[in-house]
Amino acid sequence: MEIEAFFPYRLAVTAEAFSRQLVAVYLRAYGLTREEWRLLFLLDDAGEIDSLSLSQRTSLDKVQVSRAAARLEGKGLITRAVLGSDRRLRHYAITPAGQALFAEAFAEVRARADEILSEMTEAERTTLAAGIAALGALLGGVLGVSRTT
């Protein structure tokens, strides 16, 4: 079997290529790494979140979250605090500056995603969305977030 015909490989390569198109927007224009973007994205959606909930809603590991959170806190875009006596648990919240920056960046990221997807027909986009939803449901609802990251 040729690797290019293997569905998991094709899906991973396509998803990475699409993601790189969006990274180009938020990294170049806003100086946000992929991990920072994902954390801001989740916080904009939730307002605040604890580390347990965060780990359930993202593919980022604890080290990636910790480093991204430290950078975002240093930029004044989020706050983080230790939850109770367990120093491993954290509470994250987006600041007004973080909300403003995310809203501006999200508009540009969404425009870039829409630009790419506009090259597909409406039927292709509908079929793609249905396929992604079906695959996500089969994998345990991994796509519970309503916007593209």
Side-chain angles (χ1 to χ4, degrees), residues 50-125:
D50 62 60
S51 52
L52 292 175
S53 299
L54 180 65
S55 67
Q56 295 169 350
R57 294 193 62 194
T58 183
S59 61
L60 301 175
D61 64 38
K62 292 176 186 176
V63 172
Q64 290 173 309
V65 169
S66 179
R67 289 179 180 162
R71 290 189 304 266
L72 290 170
E73 184 179 38
K75 295 175 185 180
L77 302 176
I78 71 165
T79 60
R80 63 184 177 147
V82 174
L83 273 180
S85 62
D86 189 344
R87 300 199 50 79
R88 295 172 299 173
L89 297 177
R90 299 278 189 263
H91 179 267
Y92 303 97
I94 193 165
T95 65
Q99 288 174 318
L101 181 114
F102 180 80
E104 186 178 332
F106 184 75
E108 289 188 38
V109 169
R110 174 170 263 172
R112 180 64 183 132
D114 289 347
E115 179 183 356
I116 295 165
L117 294 172
S118 73
E119 296 297 317
M120 299 171 72
T121 67
E122 175 103 20
E124 289 170 331
R125 288 190 306 273

Side-chain angles (χ1 to χ4, degrees), residues 15 20 33 36 45 48 74 78 89 92 106 129 132 134 139 146 149:
R20 270 184 286 172
T33 66
E36 291 169 337
D45 185 52
E48 56 184 55
I78 71 165
L89 297 177
Y92 303 97
F106 184 75
I132 290 170
L139 296 173
S146 61
T149 54

